[in-house]
């Protein structure tokens, strides 16, 4: 399980995350991290991944304080997929996922199962790209390969920064469905930054809403995403109404406090 206690993160003298605490998140939960632009979502993920040092506080994963262990130790159980992927190396897609699988295996000389790699690519709908080179792919295709590299490592904590941003509607649905399955079946804790609140309502087990580096709300998505919290976090007037299938849906009516 994951617990964040009184976490503060700064760039130089500018504090971005201010004493943030998140209730215990058990394994097998997909958690949406929500908030307006500049609220500190990406900074929080980097701090959890060990890429940005915490000024204060604790990040406990199964009782181990991640802020007190090395980045190499943390990388054995935590995988972070950034919003902007690094420049592609001249590797085939299959090879790149194989490298990721080997990097996560502590056994000397261990080899990854090729069928497991093909299965992940197949489930993401990109098995036809297995022999293509990374530097030949589109942005959305690279994002899917990055997700395959993350999933093949079977982390305990999976951190995803806007993994849907370059994907069309078909792949967005496909990816969220797969992430839900992987999280539940393998007991991951998946923390995913989303801007689409309706995706969060439909797919999340839990939601954390922040603004200006401080907590606005946490809990079940339908309890966190409310007209009141949307007005506070996003400064919009909104309704949350059930569609014909009973699924809650956010409808934005305008800017909060504006005159019609």
């Amino acid at each position: 399980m994951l617990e964040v206690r009184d976490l503060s993160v700064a760039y130089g003298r500018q504090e971005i995350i201010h004493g943030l605490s998140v209730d215990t998140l058990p394994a097998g939960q997909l958690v949406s991290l929500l908030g307006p632009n500049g609220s500190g979502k990406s900074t929080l993920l980097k701090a959890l991944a060990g890429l940005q040092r915490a000024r204060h506080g604790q990040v406990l994963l199964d009782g181990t304080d991640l802020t007190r262990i090395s980045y190499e130790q943390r990388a054995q159980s935590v995988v972070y997929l950034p919003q902007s992927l690094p420049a592609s190396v001249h590797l085939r897609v299959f090879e790149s996922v194989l490298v990721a699988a080997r990097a996560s295996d502590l056994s000397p000389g261990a080899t990854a199962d090729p069928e497991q790699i093909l299965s992940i690519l197949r489930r993401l709908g990109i098995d036809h790209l297995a022999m293509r080179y990374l530097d030949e792919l589109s942005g959305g295709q690279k994002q899917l390969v990055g997700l395959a590299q993350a999933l093949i490592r079977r982390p305990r904590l999976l951190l995803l920064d806007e993994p849907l941003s370059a994907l069309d509607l078909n792949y967005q649905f496909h990816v969220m469905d797969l992430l839900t399955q992987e999280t539940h079946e393998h007991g991951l804790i998946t923390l995913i930054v989303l801007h689409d609140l309706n995706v969060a309502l439909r797919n999340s087990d839990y939601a954390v809403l922040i603004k200006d580096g401080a907590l606005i709300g946490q809990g079940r998505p339908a309890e966190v995403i409310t007209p009141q919290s949307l007005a506070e976090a996003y400064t919009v007037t909104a309704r949350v109404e059930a569609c014909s299938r009973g699924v809650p849906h956010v409808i934005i009516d305008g800017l909060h406090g504006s005159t019609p």
Side-chain angles (χ1 to χ4, degrees), residues 27-234:
Q29 286 213 10
L30 190 148
V31 182
S32 291
L33 179 57
L34 311 172
N37 292 334
S39 59
K41 301 184 297 296
S42 295
T43 298
L44 177 58
L45 288 196
K46 290 177 182 177
L48 298 180
L51 298 173
Q52 182 64 37
R53 187 173 181 177
R55 173 180 282 180
H56 181 268
Q58 294 178 301
V59 177
L60 301 174
L61 182 61
D62 296 338
T64 298
D65 188 354
L66 297 181
T67 66
R68 295 185 176 274
I69 62 177
S70 69
Y71 176 77
E72 290 74 20
Q73 290 174 300
R74 191 184 304 213
Q76 295 302 326
S77 54
V78 181
V79 170
Y80 166 69
L81 185 65
Q83 179 181 351
S84 299
L85 299 177
S88 298
V89 294
H90 194 61
L91 281 178
R92 297 185 190 275
V93 167
F94 183 91
E95 293 172 329
S96 73
V97 182
L98 178 63
V99 169
R102 287 176 173 170
S104 66
D105 201 316
L106 295 176
S107 304
T111 57
D113 180 3
E115 183 52 42
Q116 187 181 19
I117 295 172
L118 288 174
S119 175
I120 289 286
L121 295 177
R122 194 178 302 120
R123 293 175 72 188
L124 282 167
I126 55 172
D127 50 310
H128 62 288
L129 300 175
M131 301 310 292
R132 292 274 301 277
Y133 285 100
L134 289 174
D135 49 12
E136 298 174 346
L137 304 183
S138 70
Q141 290 171 332
K142 289 177 184 177
Q143 208 160 21
L144 291 167
V145 174
L147 189 55
Q149 294 169 354
L151 289 173
I152 199 68
R153 294 176 61 181
R154 291 281 163 79
R156 287 149 64 198
L157 175 59
L158 179 59
L159 307 169
L160 305 173
D161 195 352
E162 295 190 50
L164 308 183
S165 61
L167 303 182
D168 62 32
L169 290 175
N170 181 290
Y171 273 114
Q172 287 183 24
F173 187 91
H174 200 75
V175 164
M176 289 306 301
D177 189 54
L178 176 58
L179 285 175
T180 301
Q181 291 178 35
E182 288 286 311
T183 299
H184 293 170
E185 289 176 13
H186 299 290
L188 311 181
I189 301 171
T190 300
L191 187 57
I192 176 172
V193 172
L194 291 174
H195 279 295
D196 191 327
L197 300 176
N198 293 315
V199 170
L201 282 166
R202 185 174 62 243
N203 296 100
S204 305
D205 302 301
Y206 199 84
V208 176
L209 176 62
I210 65 174
K211 181 180 181 181
D212 297 330
L215 185 70
I216 296 293
Q218 58 183 316
R220 295 173 59 85
E223 298 169 350
V224 173
I225 302 172
T226 66
Q228 294 75 23
S229 68
L230 295 178
E232 181 178 356
Y234 296 94

Side-chain angles (χ1 to χ4, degrees), residues 241-255:
E241 299 182 353
C243 71
S244 59
R245 294 189 175 184
V247 178
H249 194 85
V250 174
I251 302 169
I252 306 298
D253 292 317
L255 299 178

